[in-house]
Amino acid sequence: MANVATAHKTKEDDILECFLYPKICYVADGENANESILKNEITKFNQEIERFTKDYIWHRDPLSFYPRLKHALMLDKFFENTPIADHETVPHIHATLRFDEDIGDEWFVVFLIFHITRVFDGLIARIVDSDGEFLLIEAANALPPWATPENCQDNVFIHNGTIHIVREKEGSFSSKLCDIYENTQRTRLSDKVQAILLKRIMTYPEELKKRKHKARAFLPEKAASILRQEPGLVASAIRTIYHSDPFERRVCRAMRYFPPEQRTMFNVKMTKCLYAMATHCRYTGDPRTGWNLPPANSTKYAAHLLGVKIACGLEMLVARANENRRQRKDKLDSISQTSKFNERALNAYLGRLETNGYFKDLLPGSQEHAKLVINAKDYFLNHLCIHNPVVESNKSDAERVLEAWENIQTNDIEMHEQDESALSPADSSSWLNINPDQLETLLNQQWNGDKDRNTEQDHLTLREKVQAFLKQSSDVDGVKFFEDQSEDSKQDVDNGKIEFDADVFDSALRDILDLVVPGGDGEFEGSSEGSLGGDDEDKGGEMDKYMRLLDTQLQSEMVKDQESTETISVDTVEDNLMKSMESEAGSSGPVGNIIGGPARKFLHLHLQSPTMVPPDLQS
């Protein structure tokens, strides 16, 4: 039951969850999947990705896989008294990763998951973080219109290195996985979506070399020896000192475990994110400790200061681990006194299982009932050990540092001492500073596709933009104004969508903007709604004659040369649009309300010269 260790992780903002479903987990509803088979699959996964992760320094947690079986998940949910989701009942391999400040860890794991789904046949994966289906967020501009958050939640999968979405809501979770494996092309998203995600992750593994940074640090000898044995602990040391407060740093006054009297220059390897955190940490050590920093303008000042920060971070970790050991010993001494309490808790837990139907109305004392009771007791005891502070299933960073510190021998330190001149030079830290031109280049690289699309739209004339707008079709979400339609959006995926009639809209718009009423300004002076519809039959007949005359004039104008009329009408639309938009000056008005808020400001800027644009709209 050790596989439930990750099932109770507290939800955090910067956490990534991976769900891996080998073929045996969803064929025949995963009846043949057991812990031994899943552990064998995990061994294969680790062997495949070892060449990428061997020398990688994780920002917080390394990527670790754990098997999760159906009965353990059900017991887990019963214990927490939470509902069981359909996808949680399928046996699978689970992994969580806390990446905190370094989002590069998250995308590195995405690259690894994509890679192993291509290598192992039938392997299907899901990846989510605190934002949900973040892979779709990355490719949001290329998604089909039907890909809403409601439709995509828990339905986004990775298979054979590509993204898939199962749109069917009916059926079990196992049937969805089988559908992806058997009908790959039907669930696979468009090539445009695949290309966006491929571009994002295929910078790896070359990106790993770019993320590394080598620096020099003047460290206490024991600290240098620890980092020589376990280079990854530098991340724990830097994060600890970076997030510490003055109260936590009080243990750094004495430096009991890493005294500054005997120090050596050492090459420290880390990620650029860790180096940036260490550089911007303002802690310079307690002046009473005896660090003896050189002047700030010295070439060795940066190495001395980095050594102070790393050593203090390790000092805090060892002090924390010793305090945890002391508290653990006190609790172990009193654990016998809580045996009766544990027995009451176990009985309450069994009663909750009975209420939730775990025993399936089996008779007490029967063989099946006894088997379920044994499983429940084993799970309860394992769960108690995992969540009791007395016993921890995984070693913390503080415990790893303490064990490394305890295992250091004096001859180990002397053996690794070397001349400072023999060290390799530190990497340049010029990448910490970026000028406006470099920032512009980075932004263009990230948003080049959107910029190109906007450039294509900018060269269109007003007439072409209006005609393009009138020819578009609208669904229930409205017309997509001046946007390129993706291949998926052009497909008729919804037979009940609303069609936009351009001819009717054009006619209505011309009636509003081009209607000229014959007669003088005072022709209807003194008239009112009552007088027009009153008892005066002469005035009523006169109005009928006027309306018939108006209809005749309009019909005679419309039967003229059709092509000329359409051209003039479009020109008239443009002229009236220009006049109306100029008079509205970007504020609310009839034409602005018809075209829409963002389009009103966009057209206003194109219709007028810069000198005529109001100051609040000039850019």
Side-chain angles (χ1 to χ4, degrees):
M1 291 282 182
N3 56 303
V4 298
T6 59
H8 301 271
K9 296 264 188 179
T10 304
K11 274 291 184 183
E12 301 179 32
D13 290 336
D14 300 322
I15 190 169
L16 177 73
E17 283 192 278
C18 306
F19 305 86
L20 304 177
Y21 303 91
K23 188 177 179 180
I24 195 172
C25 292
Y26 55 86
V27 175
D29 292 332
E31 295 178 356
N32 298 324
N34 55 49
E35 188 169 350
S36 176
I37 291 177
L38 294 183
K39 286 184 176 180
N40 185 44
E41 293 293 321
I42 291 174
T43 302
K44 295 179 182 179
F45 297 162
N46 289 330
Q47 291 175 350
E48 180 61 32
I49 66 176
E50 183 180 7
R51 57 194 175 104
F52 302 116
T53 61
K54 183 178 180 181
D55 298 325
Y56 186 74
I57 296 179
W58 298 95
H59 189 76
R60 180 165 180 178
D61 291 338
L63 180 63
S64 301
F65 299 108
Y66 297 91
R68 299 176 76 180
L69 300 177
K70 181 177 181 180
H71 67 274
L73 290 170
M74 294 181 65
L75 289 171
D76 178 52
K77 293 300 180 180
F78 281 136
F79 191 93
E80 295 180 345
N81 197 22
T82 56
I84 303 175
D86 186 24
H87 68 273
E88 294 177 324
T89 60
V90 177
H92 61 274
I93 296 170
H94 184 251
T96 57
L97 179 84
R98 291 174 295 179
F99 51 90
D100 285 355
E101 298 88 0
D102 194 354
I103 197 174
D105 277 12
E106 180 179 28
W107 283 103
F108 179 44
V109 172
V110 173
F111 161 76
L112 296 176
I113 299 301
F114 270 76
H115 175 74
I116 62 176
T117 57
R118 283 192 294 266
V119 174
F120 297 97
D121 179 58
L123 177 62
I124 301 175
R126 288 184 58 240
I127 307 180
V128 295
D129 65 3
S130 54
D131 294 324
E133 306 291 352
F134 69 99
L135 295 180
L136 297 188
I137 298 176
E138 186 72 15
N141 293 332
L143 292 177
W146 54 263
T148 62
E150 294 76 14
N151 294 336
C152 297
Q153 183 67 32
D154 298 331
N155 290 326
V156 181
F157 301 90
I158 304 171
H159 172 57
N160 196 24
T162 55
I163 291 290
H164 297 254
I165 296 182
V166 179
R167 299 179 59 186
E168 290 75 11
K169 297 183 179 180
E170 296 77 14
S172 64
F173 191 76
S174 297
S175 64
K176 293 182 180 180
L177 298 176
C178 291
D179 190 29
I180 294 173
Y181 180 71
E182 296 171 358
N183 304 289
T184 301
Q185 294 301 321
R186 189 165 67 89
T187 59
R188 185 180 184 274
L189 288 178
S190 67
D191 292 340
K192 190 173 183 180
V193 175
Q194 308 295 342
I196 292 175
L197 293 175
L198 189 64
K199 180 181 178 182
R200 185 67 172 82
I201 65 175
M202 290 314 291
T203 56
Y204 294 91
E206 289 76 11
E207 181 69 18
L208 301 181
K209 299 178 181 178
K210 300 178 181 178
R211 286 168 47 80
K212 292 180 179 179
H213 184 83
K214 180 176 62 178
R216 285 190 177 185
F218 197 51
L219 289 169
E221 292 177 343
K222 284 191 175 183
S225 182
I226 288 176
L227 295 183
R228 186 177 289 108
Q229 296 175 15
E230 295 191 49
L233 291 178
V234 68
S236 303
I238 292 177
R239 284 191 297 102
T240 300
I241 192 65
Y242 182 82
H243 293 292
S244 62
D245 54 38
F247 179 79
E248 295 172 318
R249 294 171 185 163
R250 290 188 305 173
V251 298
C252 298
R253 295 176 182 174
M255 295 300 293
R256 293 175 50 194
Y257 307 104
F258 301 97
E261 286 75 20
Q262 294 181 339
R263 284 177 286 173
T264 180
M265 193 67 72
F266 182 71
N267 276 340
V268 182
K269 296 180 180 180
M270 63 188 77
T271 62
K272 289 184 176 179
C273 180
L274 290 172
Y275 183 75
M277 292 174 63
T279 302
H280 289 87
C281 177
R282 298 183 178 181
Y283 181 67
T284 58
D286 196 305
R288 295 168 292 182
T289 305
W291 289 110
N292 300 325
L293 294 176
N297 57 359
S298 172
T299 56
K300 296 184 178 181
Y301 178 78
H304 279 249
L305 186 57
L306 181 60
V308 170
K309 296 174 182 178
I310 295 177
C312 289
L314 294 174
E315 181 81 13
M316 294 171 63
L317 287 170
V318 174
R320 185 183 303 169
N322 279 323
E323 179 64 20
N324 291 339
R325 280 188 179 182
R326 185 189 64 78
Q327 295 178 359
R328 186 181 299 113
K329 184 178 182 300
D330 294 341
K331 292 179 179 178
L332 284 173
D333 293 339
S334 60
I335 192 171
S336 58
Q337 301 177 4
T338 62
S339 57
K340 294 183 178 180
F341 170 78
N342 292 338
E343 184 178 355
R344 291 196 300 270
L346 174 61
N347 292 333
Y349 174 60
L350 294 176
R352 190 183 304 167
L353 293 179
E354 181 73 31
T355 304
N356 286 275
Y358 171 73
F359 295 105
K360 306 176 183 178
D361 296 330
L362 295 173
L363 293 176
S366 64
Q367 185 176 359
E368 291 296 327
H369 187 275
K371 184 178 179 180
L372 292 176
V373 171
I374 292 174
N375 290 336
K377 287 183 177 180
D378 290 343
Y379 175 79
F380 178 82
L381 294 176
N382 284 320
H383 181 279
L384 183 65
C385 291
I386 290 171
H387 292 281
N388 196 322
V390 176
V391 181
E392 292 290 340
S393 60
N394 296 320
K395 294 179 181 178
S396 64
D397 292 341
E399 290 175 333
R400 291 171 57 199
V401 174
L402 178 58
E403 289 184 1
W405 181 84
E406 292 174 338
N407 294 331
I408 293 176
Q409 302 295 330
T410 305
N411 56 352
D412 293 336
I413 299 176
E414 295 176 352
M415 184 183 303
H416 293 291
E417 284 186 354
Q418 55 183 330
D419 186 19
E420 181 178 344
S421 61
L423 298 176
S424 58
D427 295 338
S428 172
S429 59
S430 59
W431 52 267
L432 284 171
N433 303 315
I434 184 171
N435 56 49
D437 293 336
Q438 292 174 325
L439 178 60
E440 184 69 20
T441 302
L442 292 174
L443 293 176
N444 289 337
Q445 292 175 353
Q446 180 68 23
W447 307 107
N448 188 45
D450 293 339
K451 183 177 180 181
D452 292 343
R453 181 171 65 250
N454 293 335
T455 302
E456 293 176 0
Q457 294 291 347
D458 290 341
H459 78 277
L460 298 177
T461 64
L462 178 59
R463 176 187 296 180
E464 291 170 336
K465 292 177 181 179
V466 172
Q467 290 177 341
F469 173 74
L470 297 179
K471 292 178 181 178
Q472 291 190 53
S473 298
S474 170
D475 55 16
V476 293
D477 294 325
V479 177
K480 294 183 177 181
F481 191 64
F482 294 167
E483 289 184 359
D484 290 338
Q485 301 294 320
S486 63
E487 295 180 3
D488 290 328
S489 64
K490 293 178 182 177
Q491 297 177 357
D492 186 9
V493 296
D494 186 0
N495 295 329
K497 70 178 183 179
I498 302 173
E499 294 293 338
F500 177 76
D501 194 332
D503 295 334
V504 174
F505 178 82
D506 188 19
S507 176
L509 190 61
R510 284 190 284 107
D511 290 343
I512 294 173
L513 300 178
D514 298 339
L515 181 61
V516 179
V517 180
D521 294 337
E523 182 170 351
F524 292 101
E525 288 184 0
S527 63
S528 63
E529 193 175 73
S531 63
L532 290 175
D535 297 331
D536 191 346
E537 296 181 358
D538 293 337
K539 290 185 179 180
E542 187 176 335
M543 179 59 68
D544 291 340
K545 292 179 182 180
Y546 174 76
M547 295 303 296
R548 285 195 296 271
L549 177 61
L550 180 61
D551 291 340
T552 302
Q553 293 178 349
L554 288 175
Q555 290 177 1
S556 63
E557 291 294 334
M558 294 177 65
V559 297
K560 292 181 179 179
D561 186 7
Q562 185 174 359
E563 296 182 359
S564 175
T565 303
E566 290 178 355
T567 303
I568 294 174
S569 298
V570 173
D571 292 337
T572 306
V573 172
E574 295 180 14
D575 294 340
N576 284 280
L577 280 174
M578 292 176 64
K579 294 178 181 179
S580 299
M581 295 303 290
E582 289 176 359
S583 62
E584 291 175 7
S587 60
S588 299
V591 177
N593 293 333
I594 293 174
I595 299 299
R600 177 177 67 244
K601 296 181 179 180
F602 176 78
L603 287 175
H604 181 71
L605 293 175
H606 285 71
L607 289 172
Q608 300 190 50
S609 64
T611 58
M612 298 176 63
V613 180
D616 60 333
L617 293 178
Q618 293 184 14
S619 56

